[in-house]
Every structure is written in structure tokens, then in C-alpha cells.
Amino acid sequence: MLKKILLIVLAAFVITPLLSEENISSAGASVRVTRDVEIVVVDAELDLPLKSAVIRSWDGSVYICNEDGIAVITAPDDRQVVIQASYPGYVTGRLVISIQTNNYILELLLSGILQARELVVEAPRYAANETRTGRSTAISGQDISQTSEISGVEDAIASVKLLPGIIATEFADAMPSIRGGEPQDVSASLDGFYIDFPYYWGGAFSIFDPRMVESAQLSHGVFSSRHGNTISGLIDITGKKPSPAETEAELGISASAVSVNLSFPLMGKGGILFMGRVTYIDPFVALAKQAVKIPGFPDDLADLINSIKTAPFIRSATATGNYRFTGKLELRATAFFGADGVGVKYENSFNMDGLNGNEKFLFDYTHYQGFLTTSLLLTPRSDMLVKFFAGAGFQDKNYEEEESSDIYEKYFSQNFKDKYGVLNDPELADLNAPYILSTETISANSELVKNIQGRLDYDWEIANGFLFAAGLQEMIKIRRVSGTQNKRIENRLSDFDDKESIFISMGILPDDPRRVFLEDFIIVSAPAVINYDIPGNTVFTSSLYGLIEYNSPARRFGSELGLRIDHYYLLGGSLSLGTRPVLNPRLNLDFNILRDRFIFESINLTAGTGLFSSMPDMAMAEEQFLINEIKPTRSWTSVVGAELKFSYGMFINIEGYYKHIYDRMYAPLNFNLEGNADTQYYFNGRGRSWGIDLMLKKNRSRFWDGWISYSYNWTQHRDPDAGDFETSINSKAISNDWYFPYYHRFHSLNLVLNVRPVQRINIYIRFGLASGEQILKRAGSGPESYPVYVYDSHTDNGYFIEKYYWNEERDKDNRTTPFMQMDIKISFFYSNKAGRVRFEAYSALENILSLLYTSQGNTYFNPYTGEVAKGRTSASYSLPFPIPSFGFKFSY
């Protein structure tokens, strides 16, 4: 009933103004005085005029730039407007037409694919890819191309990771933390469609090929009530659009993949764009397998190459198009399909630290995903926009992993015999005889996710400076999960409920005096087998929002007051649980305190506060986990910020924020003797996060540009009903005391610099520096031996082995050494005089500093022999050597 009422109210807002003649005439109140404005559209690099650029105003008038790139348009005399300018092969540009100036030069940048979007003069609303202090930071397609087309697998998220607010991540990690939030909580969307898992290879890289991206926006502050379902942040990707007038093509070849884009016009009213990417690691692996047959090839390297069963692969295809039926009605649609996978099978005999044995490793991973979206844009009047959106997608992930090893003729050390001589009893163990150490871990998982979304948005500029917006959104996520986990867990004997069965297997009677010693000092390794088959948990997310924006003349003051209402409902098996409606009010205030004074173009201040909600992953939720309620994770976020724009094309943006996080979901994972999971979901976790983000940026210019971003973050969590650092259901450590989460780093710094000694050459340099991640602090002088009773609950048999541990303790100041990375890329550009044919070639070297420095963690030791490795182990997942890459792009 509530939804019906809200729909009726929203429909009234849409229809009533359309049917009222009085309203139609009063929308313009009085006839606005207009003036002529001269705009010169030029190439940003060559400073050449762009002939025949097309401009269409909000009233349907069309303007064509002459041979000098000049067009004279009409603009209101009492308010600002924003124009969007495009030209075949160039990134769409935006320009604010103020009430004081009548002459402008608009510079357009070359884009990765030829485009010819129509230009629209419209009311001054913020673009989807615009940087707004306190709300979001945007990055253009040109910057994405320059910073992400460098690695073996080119990824647009690599560019987003260079923005302030991102906690640094290393190579092959496309799941960053935003301002202290959980990486899994970050939402990502493509043209408005929320993607459940937009990653390849388990999160190593995203699905966003730089050649399919026009721009990206990182929303990490108190962003608009239009968006939700996250307490961390939203990465909103705007895809490239086809040209309505030109047939265009682009071919890109990198070190590991080929990308192709083809665009076709649709009678001047729209177009359709096809994009595809295919990695070609497969032939290199096949060639390497032939090379290992050459006599003298190292055996270890040959075994490693031959273990590759399925070469890592990525396949993707995208089709997007639009068609403008009239000047007021446009249809858009996008389809995407992607596939990735890898397979390894490795078997080896080894001699390590004097131990002989065999080891086996099997891993097989495949992942398919796709989605189809469509939207209908209706502009019934110049001050009104209605958008209908619908989409559906799927994810199909499957993996199988098996790891085992057998170590032969392992003997107990003399130190062990002296320390645990009480065990030297025929009924318990023969400490003078060798034993076989056998380990095995098997896991398999299959996951199918279906995602259905629908949305209705309505914008109405009700008066000069006032904008009203409202909308409805429904998201349905259906997830089926099945699999198995077979491994061993180690706990002190006293922690097991069924201790008597273990004592019986040892031959220890109830009156045996050794029971106290065994119960207090013996560690038991017991099998844990988990089989799960959850046929389909469905989460319904219903949202309603409304907001009012106000911007004073000349934008001296601005505000946005909004309210978002979210409701979550979980349905699966015998579970049927819903939340109360979650109210998320948000308020932002913007102040322009100085303009065109001294060296400043403007100084702007902003302050915002609001509530956010996000539903945690409940894929494994079952009635056996004692779930009697569900709650979304909440955060109260407040931001203050300042933006200083200088007249010479530079600006500084600084923001401070605080997040109070509550109702966090956590689930301690425990096992009983039979290996069954004893897990309960809690929704009373707490968190607190605060920090400062700083960005100094030089806008694109003839000789150099770039930015410096710095982030400081302090985040801690607390889980009241957890033990002292237990393991959660997602294999992460949790605690009933305040702790830093696993992904936390205090400092993250990025330097991005582009240098152009000549117009056709660009030298890109990136340097990244981040403080270390928290690790356990080693205590004592070194590893110490301890007895482990390997118990089989199915046969009630067992035997003792010797293992080693190194006492560890939590220390908030004990962290890995800092992480550093440096990349260099040199690009060469060429285009013919008409600009229709363009060519770019680049060569890059990634992770240059790896030969000199690698982040270090704790010293490694063998848990079965106690041998300590020399030096400290690497705390970085980056390859220990520089990664060369190359590529070229050809477009027409």
C-alpha cells in the first residue's frame, strides 16, 4: 500500500505540471532576456579550430561551428548555463557560461574512440562525472587512458585507486577500501546498473576496460540521496557512447590483450557501439610448454610451466546504443558478457630442511557474468526530466581447490623429547620412531547470482536555482551457493566438548593422572568437513528518495537536502526476515567565499552530514545459524572541505571526515569435533573512522599536468560478542576489543605526472607510497616445539606429531614496512591533418623499484621443523621484478 501511495504522489509531481496551462506559461514566469555568446571550439593539444561542431540548445535550436570553429549561441542574461561540446574523436567537454562573459574558448581532448555526441545547452546541473568537494572526485577518460593503459591487464580501477580517499592496494587488487570501509562494501555501477561482483580473477582486476570508459566518479563523501546501498563509497563508471553521425573504429593491442571498438550511426538519431576484449596469454603458455622440452631447461621452472592446465584468460563483449525518437524522447541500452578463469595442476617431490616428501596442488576457477540494461529518457519540458531504467544480470562462479603433502620419516627432536618425555609411552607415542606427516585440504564452491533492478527518476527545476528530484528503486538479488570444505582445525584439547572420545583413542583412562597435563598442553588436530547447499537466498532492496537542491545566483551559496528510505527483506528456505524502514537524511551546504581575487579563481567551502545504510552479504545465512533478525550496517558520516582554485589552472582540495559505524554484521566461525560449523550472526558490531584527504592538481596544459593525492585514515572495529581475535565466516580476524581491520593503512600518497616535451610525446610517471599493514608481533627468542595429536573422529584413532609455533601478540604499532611503487610510460601520438586517423604507441615499465625495495613482513619459519628463514618475507603481492608492457591504438 505504501508503495502505491508513493507512486501516486510521484506521478502527481510529473503529470500535474504538464496538464496545467497556467503552470506551463509560468514556468518561464516572464520572458527571459537573452544575449549572444561566441564560443570557439579548438583542439586542446594542437590549438586548431574544430570545424562543424554541432550545438543544440534546450529549445531545439541547432548551431554549427564555422571553419574557424566559432559558433554564436544565445544564452539567458540572468543565469548561468552549461554547454556540452563534442566533436568526432574527442572527449565531450563542458563549459559554464556565466552572466558576465560573452566570449569563450572551449578546448576538447582526444578520446580513445571517435565520438560525435550532440551538444546540449541546459540548466546548470552537476554532471555525473564532476568533482564536488565533500561528495565526489571525478577522473576523465583521458586521465584513465594515460594512467591505466600500462599494466599487463589494463584496468580503469587502477586509475580510481590513485584518487584521494582510497587506502592503497597493491598489484592485482582491484578491491580497494574507501575511507576505511570494507572493500566488499564498495558499490560499483556502469551507467546506473549496480554490478554485484565487477571483477575478474577473484578481484584481481575489474571488468572495466579503459577503452570502454568515458569517465569515472568516486563518491566517498556525503553524496546525493539518489544513491545508496553502501556506507563506504560508490564507483560510478560512465561508458563510452556511439557517434550518431560517423562510422568509427578503434583497435588496441597491449602486452596481453586485444581490444576492438566499432561504432555505427543510426540515421543521425543515435548509434550502436560494439566493444570486445580478448587476452592472448594462451599462445605464450603453449609456446613455453614447447620450450621446456629443450635439453638443459631448469627442471623447477619446467614443472611450474607444465602445471598450467588452463592459461589465465579474460573474454568480454559489450554492446551499447541509443536512439533519439524526438528531441524529447531517447532510448538507451547496454549489454555485457564476460568470462575469466585459470587452472593449475602441480605435483612435485621435494627435499626441504632435510625432509623428503611429495606435494600436490590443484586449482580450477571459472567465472561468467553478464547483464542487460535499458533506459528511457523523457524530457517533457525544458525544466523537467523523467528516466525509466531496468536491468538484469547474472554471476556464475565455480572453483575447486585441493592441496596435499606427505612428509616421510620425520623424527621427534631431542628438545621435544626432553620437554614432553611424558608422552614417551607405548600407549601414547614412541618418541624414538619416525612418523609420516600427511596434510590435505579440499574445497569446492559453486555460486550463482541473479540480479534484477528497476528504477524511476524524476527531476524538476521548479524555479530559478531550485531543483526537486525524487525516485524509486527496486533491487532483487537471488543467490544460490553450494560446496564443501575439508580441512583440519587445531584447538587445545580442553576446548573440545567431546574430550572423552579423544582420551579413549589415546588409551587414557578416567583415573589416569596424565589427563590434566594432556588437557592443558596438548593441541588436537581434528578433521573439519563442511558441506553446504543453500538453494537460493533472495534479498529485496526497496528504496525511495527525495531531495531539493538550491543554488543562488552566481552560485555563491548552494545546498542539498535529501532523504533516502531503504528497506531490506531476506527470503530463503525457512527464513523470512525483514528490516524496519531505514531513514537516511542527508544535508550538504556549499559556500563560495571568494571569486577572481588575488591569485584565486575561487575559494569554496563545504560541509555535509548524513546517514547511510548497506545490507551485508547474507549468502550463507541459514536457520541453523540462529538468525532471528537482520539489520543493515549503518554509518553517520560528516565531512568538511575546502577547494582553492588558482587562476593558472591549479586547484587544491582538502577534506576531513568522521564516520560512526554501527549495526555491523559479523559471524564468528567455530567448529565442533565432527567439523560442523557452529556459527551465529550478530548485528551489533561497531566502528569508527576518521581521516583527511588532500589533492593538488594541475589541469591539463601544453607541457605538463598531473596531481598529488594524500590520504590519512584511522579506522577501528569492535565486535562485542566475538572472542579475543576469533575467525569470522569470511576468514577474517574479529575481536571483542577495538582493532584495526586487515586492510587498514594509515598513510597513502600518489604522485601522477605527465610531461610533454613535444606535442606528440607524453611521459607519464607515477609514484606511490603507503604505510604498512598491521601484522602480529613475534615474541620470545624463536619457534618452540609443541605436541599435536592428529585425531580422526571417524575411526577414533590418532597419533602424535611435532610442530612449532612462535608466540605472537597484537601490537597496533607493529606493521609491515612501507609499500612503494613507481611506473613509467612513454607514449607517442600521431594524427593526420583532418584528425580522422589517429595512432598511439606506448612502452611502459611497472614496479620499477622492486629490484631495490620490497615491503617486508615477519620472518618465515617452517612449522614442521622450526627452521627460520634468513631475512624477512615479502609483505607484497607485487612481482619481485619490473613488469614491462607495450601497446598501440589505431582509430578512425
Side-chain angles (χ1 to χ4, degrees), residues 848-875:
I848 295 175
L849 299 178
S850 60
L851 294 177
L852 305 175
Y853 175 83
T854 302
S855 179
Q856 300 294 305
N858 281 326
T859 303
Y860 172 78
F861 72 96
N862 190 318
Y864 298 103
T865 66
E867 294 291 331
V868 179
K870 295 181 179 180
R872 303 173 71 183
T873 58
S874 172

Side-chain angles (χ1 to χ4, degrees), residues 347-363:
E347 297 183 13
N348 181 44
S349 298
F350 65 88
N351 183 293
M352 181 179 63
D353 298 330
L355 299 179
N356 297 316
N358 294 319
E359 60 182 347
K360 177 182 177 181
F361 178 74
L362 171 68
F363 182 78

Side-chain angles (χ1 to χ4, degrees), residues 488 501-502 505 524-527 673 789-793 796-798:
R488 282 192 167 270
S501 297
I502 301 176
S505 71
V524 175
S525 173
L673 191 58
Y789 185 71
V790 181
Y791 174 70
D792 187 344
S793 59
D796 282 332
N797 292 320

Side-chain angles (χ1 to χ4, degrees), residues 225-295:
S225 301
R226 301 173 189 268
H227 307 293
N229 304 311
T230 177
I231 66 168
S232 299
L234 169 66
I235 300 176
D236 187 15
I237 303 295
T238 300
K240 288 182 175 177
K241 301 299 185 291
S243 166
E246 301 286 345
T247 298
E248 303 164 344
E250 178 184 353
L251 172 66
I253 299 179
S254 67
S256 64
V258 176
S259 298
V260 178
N261 292 3
L262 294 173
S263 176
F264 302 97
L266 296 176
M267 299 175 291
K269 294 186 176 183
I272 185 169
L273 171 62
F274 298 97
M275 297 172 281
R277 175 167 66 165
V278 177
T279 57
Y280 52 83
I281 302 175
D282 319 54
F284 288 107
V285 172
L287 183 63
K289 287 185 176 182
Q290 295 301 317
V292 301
K293 298 178 181 179
I294 300 175

Side-chain angles (χ1 to χ4, degrees), residues 554-557 590-595 602-605:
R555 290 192 182 273
R556 288 292 186 178
F557 171 74
D590 302 296
F591 305 90
N592 174 248
I593 62 173
L594 186 147
R595 180 177 295 168
S602 66
I603 297 180
N604 302 300
L605 303 179

